[in-house]
Amino acid sequence: MSDRRRITGPESALPLVFAPTPNNQSTTKSPQEKTNSGIRNFFIKTGIVSNCNGSCFLEVDNTTIIVSVYGAKPIRGSSVTSASFSVMTKVSNNLEELSNFTSSDLSHSKEEKEEQKLAKEDEYVTTNQIGKTQLSLVEQKLSTYIQTAFLPSILLEKYPKSSIEVFINILTNDSHTNSSLLSLITWCANCTSLALVDSGIELKDMVSTGIAKLTDDQTVVIDPSYSNEGRKTVGGQEVRAVASYMSVTDTVVGLMIESEEGVNGEMIEKVIDGCNTMAREIRSNMNGFLVSTM
Amino acid sequence: MSFSVSEKDYLYQSLSSKTPIRPDGRKSHQLRGIEASINFLPNSNGSSRIRLSDGSEVIISIKSKVVKMSTLADLIELDLTIDNLRDDLTFISDWTNILRNSLLRNFADKFECLKLTTRYYFKLYVDVLFLSSSSNARTTKTDTSFLQNPLSMISFGIYLALKSTRLPLLISNSNDKDIEELPTFNDDWSSTVLLYPQDEDEEIKENNTTSQNSSSPPLLFVLSVVKNNLFIDPSIEEQEISDCGLVIGWCSGKVVSPIESLNLNQSGSSEYIKGMHGQNIIEGIKMIENVAATVSKGLDEIVKDGNNSVFMDSIF
Amino acid sequence: MSEEFQLKPVSFSPEVLARIAPELSLQRHLSVGVRPCLRSFQEFKSVQINPQLDSINRYTSNQGISSKSTVLGSSNIKCGNTIIFCTITGGFIETLLPNDEADENVKEYEKIYENSEKQENNQQDDSLSNFRTVYPIIEIERGRTGAPTDEEMIISQTLHDTLLNSKILPKESLEIDLGLKTVDKDNNEIIIYPNESKDIDSSLFQFPRKYSFVLYASIQVFSRSGPILDAAWLALMIALKSTKLPCVYFDEKNSNLLNDISSLSSKKSVKTGVVNAKSGSQIICDPTKSHDLKLNNSDLYTTTIGLIELDKDFSVEIEDVENNEDFKALSVDKHTRNEGEPILLCDIEGDAEENAIGSRVVVIPDINTEDDDNLVSVTIIGGGSKVTKQSIQNSIGLAKLRSKNLQQQS
């Protein structure tokens, strides 16, 4: 059944297939030389969307995110004692689909590996998700993470019979440095936090989120940016983690750990500590920003 | 329908005390007993059924199909149906994602088994049906207030089903790089190959635990955090009042991703959701490290026993 | 009951009045020569054209070639508070070669295409079939999900039709001159294109089928405060100007593997996909080479002017307008306007104006021609307000002025 509400173009159109960029030609220079210990510079601005209750714009490297908060708005015909809270994410529909599962990492004969790599790299055919109704996998994961992480922070019982809706729009995502899903989650969460503050909805505490990875040699890298070079080392014993904190109660409200191999408690402890360090730094940054905008 | 304030308060008090008391009297690292059987669906390559004593039931069927190579991530498809709930509910696709990702991530060696020729692969379709004990009490297709988190149970089911999966034997040439040829199979069911080969020799198994374990499907464990206490396999009452939920994967003797926080509270009220401390996560991982091996051993027993329905209780 | 019953006049603060009686509040504003948004009647919103989103354009990224992006062109504009992002992506479509047996579905498509054009433009020049348009999807962020709203549908359709009818995008611009990926003497893979290699036998480039691009536009609008057709059109035009089309080559070697990939992607076009996937799979975009999209006339701008009549009953008399410096400047319009003529409002903003404005005039002037009176289109929507000859002329004048300003800006 064709979509009659949208102008979707001819049915028989094929998506563009781009050949993989030859390595020597992808002159990837990291926009900002990054040392292992720091967090990349980021730009924030609140209140840029006028027809919502609170909004925030965040830019880090080439990733740009707009979060708008709608609510608390009344829901008709419902008599719940606390507000419902929902998160919708939209990755601009022509950005490549992020995959947190990298098929090229899997062990196969060399020849085959190359073949698969080709298949993998060719994945970025145009995704014309025109008229799509369901969220993509990435959008889904992002929404769920943010919803889980922010549920404890919002005083939902102050807003009976109403709903609070968060809309996350990822306008651009940097395909050079951090196409990783975890990194995207981190920045979306931090942006959401400021948008919620901007909306004036009552919060127990601001949530701040950090990302860290534990490399082969057991060193913790905060806010890792995946340059082309870095991506090749993925697949070793590497643990990547995102954790969201409410610093008043010092509790973890959101957590996502990824690794190709098995992990143990010690590794988790290290990587979570890294996240905590970054989250605290982000928090003090956000505090400074909020004070300066008062 | 939900718990009253005093009921919740009582539960919270008893679970958060120093010597916690779970409503069903379990120890904090004790799972609920399950009744399981495998291979009961004659039409599928592998199947399993798990029942809890409260009447919840999970049925898994695994079917295979020959596909042309695309990307490895496409080789497993998972479909999750819960009671008669609408399938576009967000948490259902969340759970599907978690289950599917854990399978894909920890299936690495197994993709080799799915490989038929240089061009063709087996594709596995994992169909999951979860029937919850509260389905009768439900009035609408979106009412989820009394749905317990089934991730753990489903992962056990998938474990059993995958271990019992048999794939037909290829009789055509496995190298078709130069000449394209459709793969053909032996049509005798008795000559099919197990996806996860069973070790016949008990002793080898004992000595060689690691290598045996390396070919196990992943398991997922759901933990509920209440103050400083952790509870494995939380019941619906425990989910309702937990500070935070945690899902931890386990495969081949190791804790693996996903390690994620989880919203256990399906009824939508957030008064008890508080988050957890960093230490809880570490403790949770330790708990899983202790318990998981026993669970997988227990499940392996069921596979060995074949078609008989086995009631596992004392094992956990 | 000794208390005396009295009828007191209720008075509201301006904010409250604007909420409970938007019409009245608007009329009162207008009668003193200012709009609720504090602009004067014929003052346009400021337009800021930001540099395109460098990081996402595949071929113009400032960090070399963006290896994963599929975006061919983009724009980012700010119009008052409203922010608009527009991205252009593409697809292939087979086109008919003369006297060639083409796929059924291609014929079908061509037929539909021609038909629809004919129906729309019965009276017009047949040459419209030599022009193409883009397929826009517009999304106006307003905290809801689900099916597109009426406004989104109408604007998409308007953009689609306007672009076609203004003959900006000639058919030839989207046609693909296929190159060929082959192996040279030293067994190196090379890609040759017909236009850059004169010495190569042109018979090499005889391909069984001919392909064209189709362009899709995705437009996202934040902070909508009034009708957004003008801004959306502007964003689309700027994005189209920045669009670079990839060079495309035919790959003989890689056919097998790519067959698999395109069979995956052909899920969308279920009925027709199978046939096309086979032939289309060897058509590959060059990762680095591209050329500009050629447009006929990229200096067309739509301008929407709202017409509203002043209601005498609602007006406020300010006694000493003459003496008040602030009002003097604002009430110029009021005095130059003839009695009975509707007021012209530029860049409609706010719910009150949107609801109260009965008629809108949408003008697209052609400012590139010598003859100053050339217009591409004039549309009058609605009939709620009186539309006079004078007001149409004034609207056209305003539209020309604005177009010239925008031309200078971009």
Side-chain angles (χ1 to χ4, degrees):
Chain A
M1 194 52 194
S2 64
D3 189 346
R4 284 157 178 271
R5 294 190 177 115
R6 298 174 180 89
I7 308 170
T8 50
E11 269 268 293
S12 53
L14 299 164
L16 298 185
V17 180
F18 290 94
T21 317
N23 279 336
N24 52 353
Q25 294 209 36
S26 62
T27 47
T28 313
K29 44 179 183 203
S30 186
Q32 179 191 333
E33 281 310 314
K34 189 188 160 294
T35 51
N36 269 359
S37 55
I39 302 172
R40 283 168 294 167
N41 289 341
F42 57 98
F43 172 83
I44 35 183
K45 189 175 182 209
T46 49
I48 71 155
V49 180
S50 58
N51 57 353
C52 66
N53 298 75
S55 61
C56 181
F57 171 84
L58 185 142
E59 185 173 348
V60 58
D61 281 352
N62 283 322
T63 305
T64 46
I65 301 159
I66 291 184
V67 175
S68 37
V69 179
Y70 292 82
K73 342 182 239 199
I75 359 180
R76 211 171 285 166
S78 159
S79 56
V80 283
T81 53
S82 66
S84 75
F85 174 63
S86 64
V87 180
M88 283 288 297
T89 310
K90 187 169 168 292
V91 180
S92 257
N93 55 10
N94 23 45
L95 300 178
E96 91 263 24
E97 184 72 354
L98 299 158
S99 162
N100 60 344
F101 176 72
T102 47
S103 59
S104 51
D105 291 339
L106 300 164
S107 52
H108 274 273
S109 67
K110 201 183 158 200
E111 185 190 19
E112 212 177 311
K113 214 173 190 174
E114 240 153 55
E115 230 173 80
Q116 258 152 33
K117 222 175 141 200
L118 224 163
K120 163 93 183 142
E121 292 203 34
D122 267 305
E123 264 173 44
Y124 44 89
V125 292
T126 321
T127 45
N128 286 316
Q129 300 170 337
I130 289 167
K132 57 158 195 176
T133 48
Q134 278 198 321
L135 297 181
S136 74
L137 205 107
V138 173
E139 292 169 334
Q140 178 90 51
K141 277 222 134 164
L142 257 161
S143 308
T144 312
Y145 180 90
I146 302 226
Q147 187 172 8
T148 313
F150 283 84
L151 260 178
S153 82
I154 304 173
L155 284 162
L156 291 175
E157 52 278 18
K158 291 257 182 184
Y159 304 95
K161 302 184 187 180
S162 46
S163 75
I164 296 168
E165 284 165 3
V166 171
F167 285 79
I168 301 171
N169 273 282
I170 296 157
L171 298 169
T172 62
N173 182 38
D174 192 347
S175 45
H176 291 292
T177 49
N178 57 349
S179 56
S180 121
L181 171 69
L182 293 188
S183 165
L184 208 51
I185 287 181
T186 311
W187 293 109
C188 284
N190 287 328
C191 193
T192 308
S193 196
L194 285 168
L196 279 169
V197 172
D198 186 45
S199 72
I201 289 170
E202 289 189 52
L203 304 175
K204 283 180 198 140
D205 189 12
M206 251 163 82
V207 174
S208 60
T209 307
I211 176 170
K213 78 168 173 184
L214 188 71
T215 52
D216 279 346
D217 49 357
Q218 303 292 300
T219 50
V220 177
V221 183
I222 292 171
D223 190 20
S225 67
Y226 294 91
S227 62
N228 266 2
E229 195 183 11
R231 209 175 283 168
K232 272 173 200 143
T233 61
V234 172
Q237 183 75 341
E238 191 180 84
V239 186
R240 283 152 289 154
V242 174
S244 301
Y245 287 87
M246 289 206 296
S247 42
V248 168
T249 47
D250 190 33
T251 47
V252 183
V253 286
L255 176 76
M256 193 178 272
I257 297 175
E258 275 183 3
S259 98
E260 309 297 332
E261 303 280 319
V263 292
N264 56 40
E266 200 186 323
M267 289 154 78
I268 299 291
E269 199 162 5
K270 269 187 189 164
V271 77
I272 288 180
D273 273 350
C275 292
N276 195 355
T277 316
M278 173 163 166
R280 259 182 281 144
E281 202 167 318
I282 295 266
R283 174 64 193 259
S284 68
N285 260 309
M286 293 201 292
N287 286 352
F289 169 80
L290 289 172
V291 168
S292 74
T293 51
M294 263 183 352
Chain B
M1 187 169 91
S2 70
F3 294 108
S4 70
V5 178
S6 46
E7 272 175 319
K8 281 183 183 173
D9 198 50
Y10 166 75
L11 279 168
Y12 193 81
Q13 291 294 338
S14 58
L15 287 172
S16 61
S17 67
K18 234 182 182 149
T19 48
I21 304 155
R22 299 180 75 163
D24 48 9
R26 278 184 289 158
K27 295 192 194 87
S28 60
H29 61 272
Q30 193 181 11
L31 290 101
R32 279 170 293 186
I34 55 168
E35 186 191 341
S37 59
I38 55 167
N39 278 335
F40 74 102
L41 292 174
N43 280 341
S44 50
N45 295 68
S47 59
S48 70
R49 184 167 89 155
I50 291 186
R51 279 189 289 185
L52 280 184
S53 53
D54 68 357
S56 311
E57 185 164 341
V58 62
I59 293 171
I60 313 242
S61 147
I62 294 179
K63 290 194 176 187
S64 67
K65 191 178 157 184
V66 177
V67 291
K68 264 195 168 180
M69 186 35 210
S70 50
T71 47
L72 291 184
D74 283 327
L75 288 182
I76 297 182
E77 203 149 285
L78 194 139
D79 182 71
L80 172 63
T81 313
I82 295 179
D83 292 337
N84 53 356
L85 288 177
R86 284 171 45 177
D87 58 358
D88 59 348
L89 294 171
T90 43
F91 65 88
I92 294 189
S93 39
D94 276 343
W95 290 344
T96 312
N97 283 342
I98 293 178
L99 287 165
R100 187 171 169 271
N101 269 348
S102 82
L103 269 181
L104 284 173
R105 271 185 187 286
N106 301 299
F107 214 63
D109 309 332
K110 280 290 142 190
F111 284 118
E112 205 54 47
C113 307
L114 295 181
K115 191 185 161 191
L116 284 166
T117 69
T118 43
R119 286 167 202 270
Y120 290 98
Y121 272 74
F122 275 125
K123 178 172 180 159
L124 294 185
Y125 293 86
V126 183
D127 293 310
V128 182
L129 172 67
F130 179 75
L131 302 167
S132 93
S133 53
S134 63
S135 60
N136 292 334
R138 194 168 294 127
T139 47
T140 65
K141 280 201 158 193
T142 50
D143 177 21
T144 57
S145 54
F146 258 76
L147 188 64
Q148 58 173 322
N149 193 302
L151 279 179
S152 185
M153 200 168 149
I154 291 173
S155 83
F156 292 176
I158 293 176
Y159 183 99
L160 291 176
L162 277 174
K163 282 228 161 181
S164 68
T165 297
R166 289 177 170 277
L167 294 171
L169 187 70
L170 183 75
I171 49 171
S172 60
N173 196 346
S174 71
N175 187 0
D176 62 350
K177 199 155 179 56
D178 303 317
I179 314 137
E180 196 167 340
E181 185 186 6
L182 275 176
T184 43
F185 298 95
N186 191 328
D187 58 1
D188 188 358
W189 183 253
S190 59
S191 64
T192 49
V193 201
L194 271 173
L195 181 60
Y196 285 88
Q198 239 173 11
D199 241 325
E200 297 297 328
D201 201 335
E202 275 297 313
E203 269 175 51
I204 295 177
K205 195 183 169 186
E206 289 299 309
N207 301 336
N208 236 346
T209 5
T210 43
S211 72
Q212 162 68 14
N213 275 342
S214 72
S215 61
S216 280
L219 292 173
L220 295 177
F221 293 91
V222 177
L223 290 173
S224 137
V225 182
V226 182
K227 264 191 179 164
N228 294 318
N229 300 324
L230 288 160
F231 302 99
I232 204 164
D233 193 20
S235 64
I236 186 80
E237 298 91 342
E238 287 160 344
Q239 287 183 18
E240 194 77 1
I241 53 98
S242 51
D243 290 347
C244 190
L246 198 61
V247 59
I248 296 177
W250 189 88
C251 179
S252 322
K254 280 182 206 148
V255 171
V256 293
S257 58
I259 305 169
E260 281 169 32
S261 55
L262 206 63
N263 178 17
L264 288 179
N265 192 320
Q266 290 295 339
S267 63
S269 73
S270 70
E271 52 199 310
Y272 279 96
I273 304 173
K274 292 184 195 71
M276 58 193 158
H277 293 278
Q279 200 50 41
N280 294 142
I281 303 163
I282 316 293
E283 277 168 24
I285 285 168
K286 282 194 187 123
M287 185 188 266
I288 300 306
E289 276 169 346
N290 292 332
V291 172
T294 335
V295 175
S296 86
K297 212 177 268 174
L299 293 172
D300 283 340
E301 293 293 324
I302 299 175
V303 178
K304 205 159 281 169
D305 273 5
N307 298 326
N308 305 328
S309 189
V310 181
F311 192 70
M312 295 209 309
D313 197 10
S314 52
I315 307 169
F316 303 144
Chain C
M1 284 294 169
S2 60
E3 250 177 81
E4 200 182 325
F5 181 76
Q6 258 187 326
L7 209 67
K8 276 188 209 161
V10 197
S11 69
F12 299 103
S13 67
E15 297 80 35
V16 177
L17 187 67
R19 270 221 145 197
I20 57 173
E23 176 88 353
L24 176 66
S25 165
L26 175 67
Q27 286 290 349
R28 285 189 174 176
H29 274 92
L30 296 180
S31 69
V32 297
V34 73
R35 294 160 63 179
C37 53
L38 299 181
R39 284 187 285 134
S40 66
F41 296 165
Q42 287 160 19
E43 183 184 341
F44 286 97
K45 286 198 267 188
S46 68
V47 173
Q48 192 185 330
I49 298 165
N50 296 331
Q52 44 180 292
L53 313 163
D54 283 321
S55 63
I56 65 164
N57 277 15
R58 184 178 177 93
Y59 292 111
T60 53
S61 170
N62 56 356
Q63 292 142 38
I65 302 294
S66 176
S67 58
K68 283 193 166 177
S69 170
T70 56
V71 176
L72 305 175
S74 61
S75 69
N76 169 12
I77 70 161
K78 200 171 176 200
C79 184
N81 277 328
T82 310
I83 306 162
I84 300 187
F85 294 91
C86 175
T87 49
I88 307 278
T89 49
F92 295 126
I93 184 139
E94 281 188 33
T95 46
L96 211 55
L97 272 186
N99 308 324
D100 188 24
E101 266 187 66
D103 280 343
E104 197 91 330
N105 59 64
V106 178
K107 261 185 198 159
E108 209 174 292
Y109 162 65
E110 287 284 317
K111 216 164 68 191
I112 292 166
Y113 207 89
E114 314 275 295
N115 272 350
S116 67
E117 274 160 16
K118 270 182 199 142
Q119 276 166 11
E120 277 166 31
N121 319 288
N122 249 339
Q123 263 70 50
Q124 281 186 39
D125 193 348
D126 243 84
S127 66
L128 207 54
S129 59
N130 290 323
F131 295 92
R132 290 287 179 262
T133 180
V134 298
Y135 301 99
I137 299 286
I138 188 157
E139 274 170 342
I140 302 169
E141 157 91 22
R142 57 198 342 166
R144 61 182 286 286
T145 51
T149 57
D150 286 355
E151 189 192 15
E152 287 167 339
M153 286 190 265
I154 291 167
I155 289 177
S156 310
Q157 191 66 49
T158 312
L159 291 175
H160 174 272
D161 295 348
T162 311
L163 192 63
L164 181 68
N165 288 306
S166 53
K167 299 182 185 171
I168 290 175
L169 195 59
K171 197 173 157 189
E172 298 81 46
S173 296
L174 294 179
E175 277 168 7
I176 297 173
D177 283 327
L178 274 180
L180 186 68
K181 183 177 185 178
T182 183
V183 198
D184 69 0
K185 292 157 215 148
D186 310 322
N187 228 8
N188 292 323
E189 280 187 348
I190 50 157
I191 304 167
I192 45 174
Y193 291 102
N195 48 356
E196 61 185 32
S197 43
K198 293 270 188 302
D199 47 330
I200 297 170
D201 184 11
S202 65
S203 65
L204 260 179
F205 300 110
Q206 298 291 320
F207 297 105
R209 289 161 204 273
K210 208 164 161 47
Y211 296 89
S212 285
F213 287 111
V214 276
L215 294 181
Y216 305 96
S218 151
I219 303 171
Q220 275 176 286
V221 182
F222 294 93
S223 305
R224 177 197 184 276
S225 60
I228 46 107
L229 175 67
D230 296 358
W233 172 264
L234 180 65
L236 179 64
M237 288 314 288
I238 291 166
L240 280 177
K241 271 192 228 174
S242 80
T243 299
K244 287 187 182 296
L245 296 175
C247 291
V248 182
Y249 61 83
F250 183 85
D251 191 348
E252 308 176 297
K253 253 184 81 190
N254 232 350
S255 55
N256 279 337
L257 181 68
L258 288 162
N259 257 336
D260 297 345
I261 292 153
S262 40
S263 64
L264 274 179
S265 51
S266 63
K267 275 179 212 151
K268 283 168 210 141
S269 44
V270 185
K271 197 181 82 187
T272 60
V274 190
V275 194
N276 268 338
K278 281 218 164 125
S279 54
S281 61
Q282 289 141 303
I283 308 298
I284 303 196
C285 297
D286 194 292
T288 51
K289 276 187 193 144
S290 65
H291 56 89
D292 287 336
L293 172 68
K294 287 187 199 73
L295 301 174
N296 272 349
N297 175 5
S298 53
D299 285 321
L300 296 182
Y301 305 98
T302 67
T303 304
T304 308
I305 312 253
L307 302 183
I308 184 164
E309 278 160 284
L310 208 55
D311 194 331
K312 289 241 161 46
D313 299 346
F314 292 145
S315 66
V316 212
E317 281 309 316
I318 298 173
E319 280 132 33
D320 44 7
V321 169
E322 309 305 319
N323 306 328
N324 193 323
E325 284 300 314
D326 292 339
F327 280 109
K328 250 185 195 170
L330 289 170
S331 45
V332 177
D333 293 331
K334 197 183 166 191
H335 293 291
T336 51
R337 203 168 39 83
N338 293 330
E339 280 301 314
E341 283 287 326
I343 303 175
L344 270 54
L345 297 182
C346 298
D347 275 342
I348 302 160
E349 186 172 353
D351 287 343
E353 283 185 12
E354 243 189 297
N355 295 335
I357 283 173
S359 305
R360 289 180 203 168
V361 182
V362 183
V363 187
I364 311 178
D366 187 353
I367 47 173
N368 276 353
T369 47
E370 293 298 310
D371 181 9
D372 215 33
D373 286 331
N374 228 342
L375 297 171
V376 175
S377 127
V378 176
T379 317
I380 298 166
I381 307 161
S385 301
K386 192 162 61 179
V387 184
T388 59
K389 191 179 168 194
Q390 184 65 37
S391 59
I392 296 174
Q393 275 170 351
N394 287 348
S395 302
I396 293 171
L398 283 167
K400 277 182 190 157
L401 196 69
R402 178 169 181 269
S403 299
K404 281 185 182 141
N405 278 333
L406 288 173
Q407 188 186 22
Q408 276 163 17
Q409 242 187 308
S410 60

